[in-house]
Amino acid sequence: ASMIHLHVRDADGDHSLDADDYRPAIDAVREAVADKMLIQITTEAAGRYRTDEQIGLIEKLYPEGLSVSVAVREFFGEDDDYQASGVFLAGLREIGVLLQYILYTPDDVRLYRTLMTSGLIIPGYHLVLFVLGQYPHSTQPDHPIGDFLACHDANVPWMACAFGADAIDRLTEAVRLGGHVRIGFENGWLLPDGSVAPDNATLVRTLKTAIDSP
């Protein structure tokens, strides 16, 4: 494990983009792992936050030394200023922030490529994340990884996360297709036998065992 994708919650247990919620969590991770892992914060809106609120979180945290994960469909929303979003992300790149673009569907991959072509997402080193499976109670179609790769630019490093009881199998497939993977409680908590994992480390070890198997 080389990176931790970090979400925080408010006092009511809801997804939070409050910098005051993030700071103690970042400090606690840094105290535990020092520079052995890259910390990635997320601006995912979760149906609660506008683009300007996502930008506000990053501005308050000053993320030099961090990675930032943004959902393309949320950060470049229909009612938002695409140009302003692109300029802001370009500024993050200039201070060395590793950006990751979250792509929930093949249509998101196509939007991401359009933004790249138009210059609103600047080519160069960044990551994309394919979301496999479904959030609980989601009605969004579940696309196989091949649908994402079919419209992805092979020159951009990619990774995958997965939801559901078959997450380990799907992530193992992603590795064998050349991707990186993310696993942990934000995406699910079940082991392949249906039992609840006691911690994130168990999920990581289980996935690594599957990947190492012939």
Side-chain angles (χ1 to χ4, degrees):
S2 59
M3 179 189 297
I4 180 167
H5 178 77
L6 184 62
H7 285 252
V8 294
R9 297 185 180 274
D10 61 22
D12 296 323
D14 294 323
H15 174 64
S16 173
L17 293 187
D18 189 325
D20 289 336
D21 291 331
Y22 253 114
R23 289 190 186 100
I26 291 171
D27 290 344
V29 174
R30 281 181 168 156
E31 182 177 351
V33 303
D35 61 354
K36 294 179 182 178
M37 295 182 73
L38 178 63
I39 300 173
Q40 181 184 82
I41 62 172
T42 182
T43 69
E44 285 177 277
R48 302 184 65 196
Y49 297 99
R50 303 182 308 272
T51 302
D52 63 323
E53 293 174 298
Q54 297 173 57
I55 289 174
L57 165 70
I58 301 170
E59 289 177 332
K60 290 174 184 175
L61 287 178
Y62 189 71
E64 188 171 6
L66 297 173
S67 174
V68 173
S69 180
V70 301
V72 167
R73 66 164 66 167
E74 297 171 346
F75 212 80
F76 293 90
E78 292 181 359
D79 298 325
D80 297 316
D81 184 343
Y82 277 28
Q83 190 66 38
S85 297
V87 169
F88 180 76
L89 293 173
L92 293 183
R93 281 200 55 195
E94 289 179 4
I95 63 171
V97 174
L98 174 60
L99 292 170
Q100 178 190 68
Y101 296 97
I102 305 168
L103 307 172
Y104 294 101
T105 66
D107 282 343
D108 284 0
V109 181
R110 286 184 276 270
L111 171 59
Y112 156 80
R113 294 197 65 173
T114 298
L115 293 168
M116 283 266 286
T117 300
S118 67
L120 290 171
I121 290 178
I122 300 175
Y125 189 73
H126 59 261
L127 304 171
V128 297
L129 173 75
F130 303 145
V131 180
L132 309 176
Q134 296 176 315
Y135 285 98
H137 314 300
S138 172
T139 58
Q140 179 172 288
D142 178 7
H143 297 277
I145 193 167
D147 288 358
F148 289 87
L149 292 175
C151 48
H152 177 58
D153 181 349
N155 293 320
V156 177
W158 61 274
M159 62 194 310
C161 66
F163 295 87
D166 61 348
I168 296 291
D169 290 340
R170 299 185 77 162
L171 294 178
T172 301
E173 178 189 16
V175 170
R176 291 175 179 162
L177 290 171
H180 302 273
V181 290
R182 186 182 89 197
I183 192 166
F185 286 148
E186 192 248 341
N187 297 115
W189 48 89
L190 296 180
L191 295 168
D193 64 3
S195 63
V196 175
D199 49 39
N200 278 314
T202 300
L203 289 167
V204 173
R205 280 193 296 267
T206 303
L207 176 58
K208 185 176 186 303
T209 298
I211 291 169
D212 292 342
S213 297

